[in-house]
Amino acid sequence: MSTEKKTGRERGEEWWQTDIIEMRPGVIRLRGYEIQDLIGRVSFPAMIWLMLRGELASEDQAALLGIALGAAVDHGPQAPSVAIARMAATCGVGINSAMASAINVLGDVHGGAGEQALSFYGDIAVALDGGMTLNEAVSTRLDRFFAEVNGYVPGLGHRFHPVDPRAPRLLELTRAFAARGVVNGRFADIAEAIEAEVARRKGKKIPLNIDGATAVIYGELGFPPPLTRGLFVLSRSVGILAHAWEQSQQAERNKGPLPREWLWAYTGAPVRPFPEAGDKTE
């Protein structure tokens, strides 16, 4: 190890280290590519791929990623994140604050199901690599899930849609890309096998939802589960931006989650007098 004393600039350059961007006056390189060479040649989904993966996506890979991102951009003000963006806008905050308020609620319950679904699929994929058949791997993973969790299998069912209209189309497109050799279709097989086995156990079909379907695509494209949540945030940010902007153009102020004439249910103590001076309370 060199014992030479480093200059302040050298120490500064070592403060942050990144493989993502190189920048100095007049130069911007992303993953080694000059920004001016990327502009006009690389789509936004392809840029996301490059930034996250470090290499250029094929045209088909970028297209399939864009399909998944485009499918989940919005689900209306009944989605908490979108409602929060609109409420924040009525409070007079700027676009960035309205968007940040909305994005901050995209957690395990609202926004995290795609990550959970891909982790679930990944467990089954590992079992397949270990020699299990698809049906055995799915059944074993579901046995463990139902023994440990009292809840919904991630990626299945929807509280609003009997059949999520986005999911069948996403699976159809995934199959089309698999037929061309862009992806291998393994995660689509896993998701459909889960859906079929849950239907067999429950006696009714609980269809794949948007989270389960986009998780299929992100898994097919090789994204790890934690990035699935980040990709959902990128996707839903489009709808959040649109709703925040639309609401900011309207006249309402301090608009809450319910109309003024619809108040909440109070479940606390009944009306009671405040103790007079000198009264004893126990």
Side-chain angles (χ1 to χ4, degrees):
M1 181 181 294
S2 173
T3 57
E4 294 180 8
K5 187 175 182 180
K6 295 181 179 179
T7 66
R9 177 172 178 173
E10 288 172 328
R11 291 195 301 271
E13 287 173 344
E14 291 181 357
W15 187 259
W16 295 114
Q17 296 184 28
T18 177
D19 293 338
I20 298 170
I21 185 170
E22 179 185 1
M23 190 179 67
R24 59 179 182 271
V27 174
I28 302 173
R29 296 190 184 103
L30 299 177
R31 299 290 191 177
Y33 294 101
E34 302 283 358
I35 188 66
Q36 60 268 30
D37 292 337
L38 297 171
I39 294 172
R41 294 190 177 101
V42 174
S43 67
F44 187 49
M47 187 65 82
I48 293 170
W49 183 290
L50 175 63
M51 293 292 283
L52 294 178
R53 306 285 284 270
E55 299 296 337
L56 292 171
S58 71
E59 187 174 324
D60 281 334
Q61 288 171 329
L64 187 54
L65 176 59
I67 286 167
L69 292 169
V73 293
D74 192 15
H75 202 243
Q78 65 86 34
S81 54
V82 174
I84 286 168
R86 299 193 74 115
M87 286 190 290
T90 71
C91 297
V93 302
I95 286 285
N96 60 314
S97 295
M99 292 185 70
S101 298
I103 290 168
N104 279 336
V105 302
L106 295 176
D108 287 341
V109 174
H110 174 37
E115 177 181 355
Q116 296 154 15
L118 186 51
S119 293
F120 201 91
Y121 301 164
D123 291 343
I124 294 168
V126 169
L128 292 175
D129 291 338
M132 280 191 179
T133 67
L134 178 57
N135 288 340
E136 288 172 342
V138 168
S139 183
T140 299
R141 185 63 185 89
L142 284 172
D143 286 343
R144 192 167 95 241
F145 177 82
F146 289 122
E148 296 173 351
V149 180
N150 182 22
Y152 300 103
V153 176
L156 297 185
H158 201 286
R159 65 189 181 89
F160 191 83
H161 303 290
V163 176
D164 190 327
R166 300 162 291 187
R169 177 61 174 157
L170 289 173
L171 264 290
E172 176 189 1
L173 288 168
T174 302
R175 293 297 188 190
F177 277 79
R180 300 208 310 271
V182 180
V183 294
N184 62 29
R186 188 187 206 193
F187 285 90
D189 290 341
I190 290 171
E192 290 182 340
I194 292 170
E195 186 182 61
E197 177 61 14
V198 170
R200 187 189 69 80
R201 295 185 184 208
K202 298 285 188 181
K204 64 177 181 179
K205 185 175 182 179
I206 303 176
L208 202 68
N209 60 32
I210 181 66
D211 300 301
T214 52
V216 164
I217 291 178
Y218 296 141
E220 295 282 355
L221 292 174
F223 287 97
L227 278 183
T228 299
R229 185 180 306 211
L231 290 167
F232 176 78
V233 171
L234 285 177
S235 174
R236 186 52 57 87
S237 292
V238 177
I240 288 169
L241 171 60
H243 282 277
W245 174 248
E246 181 184 63
Q247 190 64 54
S248 72
Q249 305 306 296
Q250 299 176 8
E252 292 112 328
R253 293 169 55 87
N254 293 331
K255 189 171 183 177
L258 291 172
R260 285 180 298 178
E261 63 272 17
W262 292 4
L263 297 180
W264 54 93
Y266 175 67
T267 58
V271 176
R272 48 186 170 175
F274 189 79
E276 297 292 338
D279 286 355
K280 294 181 179 180
T281 58
E282 295 181 1

